[in-house]
Amino acid sequence: MLVCTDPEPDPEPSNHPDVEVWVAENDAAGRRLQGAQLAPASAATTVRVRNGQLLVSDGPFAEVKEMIVGFDLLECTDLDEAIEVARAHPMAWAGRIELRPFADFEQ
C-alpha cells in the first residue's frame, strides 16, 4: 500500500481517522506487517543509467503533483479486504492510497 499526497485533499480534515488508531488496529489484526513514513521528496536521490553512463541527481526525477510519503505492507485475504483497510487510513481522506500486489514471477 503506497501512501501518497494529493493536491485535492478532503476539505473537511476533522472527519479524518487517526493514523495511530489505524496502525494499532491493523497491527493487532495481523494485516499490517510493516510500515514507515518516508523522508520528503527533497531528500530523494534518483539513479539512472543511460548509454552505459551513471546519472545521479538530487530529488525525485518525475515532476508530479503527488508524492509517495509512506508505505504499509499488508497481508489481506483479497483485494476487497485491502480496499477496506485502505479506506480507513487517514491519507485516503487527505491524500491517496495505491494498492498494489507483489508481482508473481512464477506465472
Side-chain angles (χ1 to χ4, degrees), residues 24-74:
E25 287 175 356
N26 287 286
D27 283 356
R31 286 186 296 260
R32 182 178 175 271
L33 305 179
Q34 186 177 13
Q37 183 175 349
L38 300 177
S42 60
T45 299
T46 299
V47 177
R48 298 178 288 153
V49 177
R50 299 294 182 268
N51 297 319
Q53 297 294 314
L54 172 64
L55 303 170
V56 178
S57 58
D58 292 336
F61 177 68
E63 294 294 326
V64 295
K65 293 180 182 177
E66 302 89 16
M67 299 301 268
I68 298 171
V69 296
F71 74 95
D72 290 283
L73 179 60
L74 305 176

Side-chain angles (χ1 to χ4, degrees), residues 7 22 29-30 38 48 50 81 98 107:
W22 183 91
L38 300 177
R48 298 178 288 153
R50 299 294 182 268
E81 182 183 9
E98 180 179 329
Q107 288 187 356

